[in-house]
Short mmCIF file of all heavy atoms in Angstrom, two decimals:
data_model
loop_
_atom_site.label_atom_id
_atom_site.label_comp_id
_atom_site.label_asym_id
_atom_site.label_seq_id
_atom_site.Cartn_x
_atom_site.Cartn_y
_atom_site.Cartn_z
N ASP A 274 -9.79 -25.41 -8.54
CA ASP A 274 -10.21 -26.81 -8.60
C ASP A 274 -10.56 -27.38 -7.23
O ASP A 274 -10.90 -28.56 -7.13
CB ASP A 274 -9.10 -27.66 -9.22
CG ASP A 274 -8.80 -27.27 -10.66
OD1 ASP A 274 -9.71 -26.77 -11.33
OD2 ASP A 274 -7.64 -27.47 -11.10
N TYR A 275 -10.46 -26.57 -6.20
CA TYR A 275 -10.60 -27.08 -4.83
C TYR A 275 -11.93 -26.64 -4.22
O TYR A 275 -12.28 -25.45 -4.23
CB TYR A 275 -9.43 -26.60 -3.97
CG TYR A 275 -8.10 -27.02 -4.53
CD1 TYR A 275 -7.35 -26.14 -5.33
CD2 TYR A 275 -7.59 -28.29 -4.30
CE1 TYR A 275 -6.14 -26.54 -5.87
CE2 TYR A 275 -6.37 -28.69 -4.83
CZ TYR A 275 -5.65 -27.81 -5.61
OH TYR A 275 -4.45 -28.20 -6.15
N LYS A 276 -12.65 -27.62 -3.68
CA LYS A 276 -13.96 -27.36 -3.08
C LYS A 276 -13.91 -27.72 -1.61
O LYS A 276 -13.36 -28.77 -1.22
CB LYS A 276 -15.05 -28.17 -3.79
CG LYS A 276 -16.46 -27.85 -3.32
CD LYS A 276 -17.51 -28.63 -4.11
CE LYS A 276 -17.64 -28.08 -5.51
NZ LYS A 276 -18.79 -28.70 -6.24
N TYR A 277 -14.49 -26.85 -0.77
CA TYR A 277 -14.44 -27.03 0.68
C TYR A 277 -15.86 -27.02 1.24
O TYR A 277 -16.63 -26.08 1.00
CB TYR A 277 -13.63 -25.90 1.32
CG TYR A 277 -12.26 -25.73 0.71
CD1 TYR A 277 -12.06 -24.87 -0.39
CD2 TYR A 277 -11.15 -26.41 1.20
CE1 TYR A 277 -10.81 -24.71 -0.96
CE2 TYR A 277 -9.89 -26.25 0.64
CZ TYR A 277 -9.73 -25.40 -0.45
OH TYR A 277 -8.49 -25.23 -1.01
N SER A 278 -16.19 -28.07 1.98
CA SER A 278 -17.52 -28.20 2.59
C SER A 278 -17.41 -28.06 4.11
O SER A 278 -16.33 -28.13 4.69
CB SER A 278 -18.13 -29.56 2.24
OG SER A 278 -18.19 -29.75 0.85
N ASN A 279 -18.56 -27.84 4.73
CA ASN A 279 -18.66 -27.79 6.20
C ASN A 279 -17.73 -26.75 6.81
O ASN A 279 -17.08 -26.98 7.84
CB ASN A 279 -18.36 -29.17 6.81
CG ASN A 279 -19.29 -30.25 6.27
OD1 ASN A 279 -20.49 -30.04 6.17
ND2 ASN A 279 -18.73 -31.39 5.92
N GLN A 280 -17.65 -25.60 6.17
CA GLN A 280 -16.85 -24.50 6.68
C GLN A 280 -17.70 -23.55 7.52
O GLN A 280 -18.93 -23.59 7.46
CB GLN A 280 -16.20 -23.73 5.53
CG GLN A 280 -15.27 -24.56 4.68
CD GLN A 280 -14.04 -25.04 5.43
OE1 GLN A 280 -13.43 -24.27 6.18
NE2 GLN A 280 -13.67 -26.29 5.23
N SER A 281 -17.04 -22.72 8.29
CA SER A 281 -17.72 -21.67 9.05
C SER A 281 -17.51 -20.34 8.35
O SER A 281 -16.51 -20.13 7.67
CB SER A 281 -17.18 -21.59 10.48
OG SER A 281 -17.44 -22.79 11.18
N ILE A 282 -18.47 -19.44 8.51
CA ILE A 282 -18.33 -18.09 8.02
C ILE A 282 -18.39 -17.15 9.22
O ILE A 282 -19.21 -17.34 10.12
CB ILE A 282 -19.41 -17.73 6.97
CG1 ILE A 282 -19.25 -16.27 6.51
CG2 ILE A 282 -20.81 -18.03 7.45
CD1 ILE A 282 -20.13 -15.90 5.34
N TYR A 283 -17.53 -16.16 9.23
CA TYR A 283 -17.42 -15.24 10.35
C TYR A 283 -17.78 -13.82 9.90
O TYR A 283 -17.68 -13.49 8.72
CB TYR A 283 -15.99 -15.25 10.90
CG TYR A 283 -15.54 -16.58 11.46
CD1 TYR A 283 -15.06 -17.58 10.62
CD2 TYR A 283 -15.60 -16.83 12.83
CE1 TYR A 283 -14.64 -18.80 11.12
CE2 TYR A 283 -15.18 -18.06 13.34
CZ TYR A 283 -14.71 -19.04 12.48
OH TYR A 283 -14.30 -20.26 12.99
N GLY A 284 -18.16 -13.02 10.85
CA GLY A 284 -18.44 -11.61 10.59
C GLY A 284 -17.72 -10.74 11.61
O GLY A 284 -17.58 -11.11 12.78
N CYS A 285 -17.25 -9.58 11.16
CA CYS A 285 -16.57 -8.65 12.04
C CYS A 285 -16.66 -7.26 11.43
O CYS A 285 -16.64 -7.10 10.20
CB CYS A 285 -15.10 -9.05 12.23
SG CYS A 285 -14.20 -7.99 13.38
N GLU A 286 -16.73 -6.24 12.27
CA GLU A 286 -16.88 -4.87 11.78
C GLU A 286 -15.68 -4.40 10.97
O GLU A 286 -15.79 -3.46 10.18
CB GLU A 286 -17.12 -3.91 12.94
CG GLU A 286 -15.94 -3.76 13.88
CD GLU A 286 -16.25 -2.83 15.04
OE1 GLU A 286 -17.05 -3.21 15.91
OE2 GLU A 286 -15.69 -1.72 15.06
N VAL A 287 -14.53 -5.05 11.13
CA VAL A 287 -13.35 -4.65 10.36
C VAL A 287 -13.57 -4.86 8.86
O VAL A 287 -12.89 -4.27 8.03
CB VAL A 287 -12.10 -5.43 10.85
CG1 VAL A 287 -12.11 -6.87 10.36
CG2 VAL A 287 -10.83 -4.72 10.43
N LEU A 288 -14.57 -5.70 8.50
CA LEU A 288 -14.89 -5.95 7.09
C LEU A 288 -16.10 -5.15 6.62
O LEU A 288 -16.64 -5.41 5.54
CB LEU A 288 -15.16 -7.45 6.87
CG LEU A 288 -14.00 -8.35 6.44
CD1 LEU A 288 -13.52 -8.00 5.05
CD2 LEU A 288 -12.87 -8.33 7.43
N ASP A 289 -16.54 -4.16 7.39
CA ASP A 289 -17.73 -3.39 7.01
C ASP A 289 -17.59 -2.69 5.67
O ASP A 289 -18.58 -2.34 5.04
CB ASP A 289 -18.08 -2.36 8.10
CG ASP A 289 -18.82 -2.99 9.27
OD1 ASP A 289 -19.18 -4.18 9.18
OD2 ASP A 289 -19.02 -2.29 10.29
N VAL A 290 -16.36 -2.47 5.23
CA VAL A 290 -16.14 -1.81 3.94
C VAL A 290 -16.79 -2.56 2.79
O VAL A 290 -17.22 -1.94 1.80
CB VAL A 290 -14.63 -1.62 3.68
CG1 VAL A 290 -13.93 -2.96 3.52
CG2 VAL A 290 -14.39 -0.74 2.47
N VAL A 291 -16.93 -3.89 2.90
CA VAL A 291 -17.51 -4.65 1.79
C VAL A 291 -19.00 -4.35 1.61
O VAL A 291 -19.56 -4.66 0.56
CB VAL A 291 -17.29 -6.18 1.95
CG1 VAL A 291 -15.81 -6.51 2.03
CG2 VAL A 291 -18.04 -6.74 3.15
N ASN A 292 -19.64 -3.76 2.61
CA ASN A 292 -21.05 -3.39 2.46
C ASN A 292 -21.26 -2.37 1.35
O ASN A 292 -22.36 -2.24 0.81
CB ASN A 292 -21.60 -2.82 3.77
CG ASN A 292 -21.68 -3.86 4.87
OD1 ASN A 292 -21.87 -5.04 4.60
ND2 ASN A 292 -21.53 -3.43 6.10
N TYR A 293 -20.21 -1.64 1.00
CA TYR A 293 -20.30 -0.59 -0.02
C TYR A 293 -19.80 -1.07 -1.39
O TYR A 293 -19.71 -0.28 -2.32
CB TYR A 293 -19.50 0.63 0.43
CG TYR A 293 -19.92 1.14 1.79
CD1 TYR A 293 -19.21 0.82 2.93
CD2 TYR A 293 -21.06 1.93 1.92
CE1 TYR A 293 -19.61 1.26 4.18
CE2 TYR A 293 -21.46 2.39 3.17
CZ TYR A 293 -20.73 2.04 4.29
OH TYR A 293 -21.14 2.50 5.53
#
Side-chain angles (χ1 to χ4, degrees):
D274 297 332
Y275 302 97
K276 186 177 288 188
Y277 307 90
S278 304
N279 303 315
Q280 299 295 317
S281 296
I282 178 171
Y283 297 82
C285 183
E286 66 182 71
V287 75
L288 268 293
D289 280 353
V290 65
V291 301
N292 293 330
Y293 305 99

